[in-house]
Amino acid sequence: MNIAVVGTGYVGLVSGVCFSEFGFNVKCIDNNVSKIEELKKGIVPIYEKELDKLMSKNMKAGRLSFTSDMAEGVRDADIVFIAVGTPSKPDGSANLNYVYGAVDELAPHMNNDAILMIKSTVPVGTTRAVKRFLLDKGFDIEVAFNPEFLREGAAIEDFMRPDRIILGVESKKAEEALKRAYRPLFVLSIPIVFTGVETAELSKYAANAFLAMKITFINEVANLCENCGADVQEVAYAIGLDKRIGEQFLQVGPGYGGSCFPKDTSALNDFAKNFGVDMPLVEETIRSNDARREKMIQKIMSVCDNDVKNKNISILGVTFKANTDDMRDSPSICIVNHLIEKGANVKIYDPSFSEQAKRIFKNVEWNGNAYDNCNGADVVVILTDWAEFRAINLADLRCRVKTPLLVDLRSIYTVHEAKASGFTYHSVGRPFLNG
Ligand SMILES: NC(=O)c1ccc[n+]([C@@H]2O[C@H](COP(=O)([O-])OP(=O)(O)OC[C@H]3O[C@@H](n4cnc5c(N)ncnc54)[C@H](O)[C@@H]3O)[C@@H](O)[C@H]2O)c1
């Protein structure tokens, strides 16, 4: 089977590489010519565990190639996946220009028997609208929808062993083609759910909104803990043991960010209104998550007596979560920029050495490890829960800082550990124990 994937971002590149690992012939297409040139040399443009090895293995096997020529990329494909971005417009709705741009470009070159599979996250109604768009241009191409649920940082594992595959199809022909494409997972007894296209489209948004609500909920519980004497870590553990709730997405922090939850909650809220439906829970999740960032800024400022001018602030982690270099909508952006605006000397260490972060934060000092980043610091702030920050030798760190103040916005240390190493420790959701 020949597969084409349009868009080589976090989703497209991982999908293309994994489909080639299944044994299919895959062509990955992107209109970013310099990205394609790098990929052809085997250079992976994103931070994703094991992706480089799997990519070069399949390139060497002759199953995986890259091109910026759409015609060459889609000509022989049995299935063309679209994995281009669907960012937010300023009004919160989904920007579908990249999807329609790609469809417009590929349609004249695609084999009419092939299936066009939208993998980008798109509002309910888009798959049918794309079908109509193609018909209006004289192309009778089968269009289906396959939401992607992979998590950055665990993307290959999630693609290879997902909890489920959702396939929104309107014909037996599309169903059969997709059964073939996902057969390697079918054999592993991964549930493959065929639905109508609207159900598949909404399933993606409903899943992301639910997870965003879960994160927001525990952050609100953390606010209460700070005022009532409870410990949010223990509350999260206690409720997470209930199978109806589950332990995942109950980690406190500076609020959700990244390329999906913020834009997908906004888009859901927007297109629900177009169907005449209000979603107050989703609206409140968006509002509460925005307020969370402001609250984190206030927490850091109050630890610094509301004056950070000329203070040395060591930031540990800036990506929106661990194990990715993705900075899209990371809570760190407004937090760090606020500190810079108020005159702080900001030093940053992030284990991904994110190029995106370097483009965002100007006039900061970058360091190659957490210890050097903390030399002479007036305050150390943990913003992202990278595993290596859990294993920092706090006693060693204590010797390097000017003032032993640690603000841990992920609450990754126990209060006892932090205090024992001589730090005054401010975490979230555990106020009365703080040093
Ligand atoms: N990032 C995630 O973790 C994730 C997870 C699940 C679903 N999604 C969804 O998948 C989609 C893609 O997300 P992403 O994070 O991979 O995006 P991305 O921004 O990382 O990558 C998109 C790529 O598409 C390319 N592109 C745009 N227009 C093109 C065209 N006309 N022809 C060829 N290439 C084109 C861009 O150059 C870019 O390389 C989005 O809809 C997103 O919501 C993302």
Side-chain angles (χ1 to χ4, degrees), residues 303-305 310-314 374-381 394 397-407 421-426:
V303 166
C304 299
D305 296 327
N310 297 325
K311 284 193 177 147
N312 297 322
I313 302 193
S314 166
C374 292
N375 284 337
D378 292 296
V379 54
V380 177
V381 180
L394 290 178
L397 209 70
R398 166 73 186 87
C399 299
R400 291 170 175 258
V401 297
K402 191 154 89 192
T403 319
L405 260 182
L406 176 58
V407 182
S421 58
F423 273 96
T424 301
Y425 182 60
H426 299 263

Side-chain angles (χ1 to χ4, degrees), residues 145-276:
F145 181 71
N146 169 212
E148 181 52 62
F149 294 97
L150 61 75
R151 293 162 302 166
E152 289 176 18
I156 293 175
E157 192 188 318
D158 284 352
F159 194 94
M160 293 295 198
R161 283 197 168 267
D163 291 338
R164 77 306 203 186
I165 301 283
I166 309 281
L167 297 165
V169 295
E170 293 295 317
S171 74
K172 210 66 199 154
K173 178 180 147 192
E175 189 175 325
E176 289 310 317
L178 290 160
K179 269 187 185 156
R180 280 179 65 205
Y182 282 109
R183 194 175 149 67
L185 299 182
F186 191 68
V187 169
L188 295 175
S189 299
I190 307 278
I192 299 192
V193 184
F194 283 96
T195 71
V197 287
E198 288 81 6
T199 302
E201 288 167 333
L202 186 54
S203 299
K204 174 64 190 173
Y205 282 100
N208 274 1
F210 188 83
L211 295 173
M213 270 193 315
K214 210 172 165 189
I215 293 171
T216 307
F217 177 77
I218 203 65
N219 283 335
E220 290 193 356
V221 172
N223 291 346
L224 178 57
C225 288
E226 292 182 6
N227 289 285
C228 77
D231 181 328
V232 74
Q233 304 281 48
E234 292 175 12
V235 173
Y237 181 62
I239 65 173
L241 288 172
D242 185 330
K243 289 191 185 67
R244 293 169 303 175
I245 296 173
E247 63 184 353
Q248 294 192 46
F249 289 81
L250 287 179
Q251 284 77 36
V252 284
Y256 62 78
S259 65
C260 292
F261 289 179
K263 79 169 176 65
D264 291 348
T265 45
S266 294
L268 173 59
N269 192 37
D270 174 80
F271 73 72
K273 282 194 170 46
N274 295 339
F275 285 101

Side-chain angles (χ1 to χ4, degrees), residues 300 312-318 332 335-336 339 345-350 361 364-367 369-370 373-374 377 379-384 389:
I300 299 169
N312 297 322
I313 302 193
S314 166
I315 302 286
L316 299 182
V318 283
S332 73
I335 295 172
V336 171
L339 298 173
N345 303 319
V346 172
K347 298 180 181 192
I348 302 177
Y349 165 62
D350 187 279
F361 300 124
V364 299
E365 182 183 316
W366 296 92
N367 281 293
N369 64 67
N373 203 60
C374 292
V379 54
V380 177
V381 180
I382 299 176
L383 270 180
T384 310
F389 297 157

Side-chain angles (χ1 to χ4, degrees), residues 5-13 29-32 35 46 67-68 70 82-87 97-103 105 119-122 147-152 155 204-205 208 259-260 263-264 320-321 326 328 356:
V5 182
V6 182
T8 59
Y10 289 83
V11 167
L13 184 58
I29 305 139
D30 206 291
N31 58 6
N32 181 334
K35 195 187 236 187
I46 54 172
T67 179
S68 47
M70 186 69 90
I82 294 197
V84 299
T86 48
N97 289 348
Y98 299 102
V99 172
Y100 280 101
V103 170
E105 217 181 314
K119 217 179 218 313
S120 302
T121 303
V122 292
E148 181 52 62
F149 294 97
L150 61 75
R151 293 162 302 166
E152 289 176 18
K204 174 64 190 173
Y205 282 100
N208 274 1
S259 65
C260 292
K263 79 169 176 65
D264 291 348
F320 84 93
K321 65 172 184 177
D326 201 343
R328 287 177 284 184
Q356 292 179 35

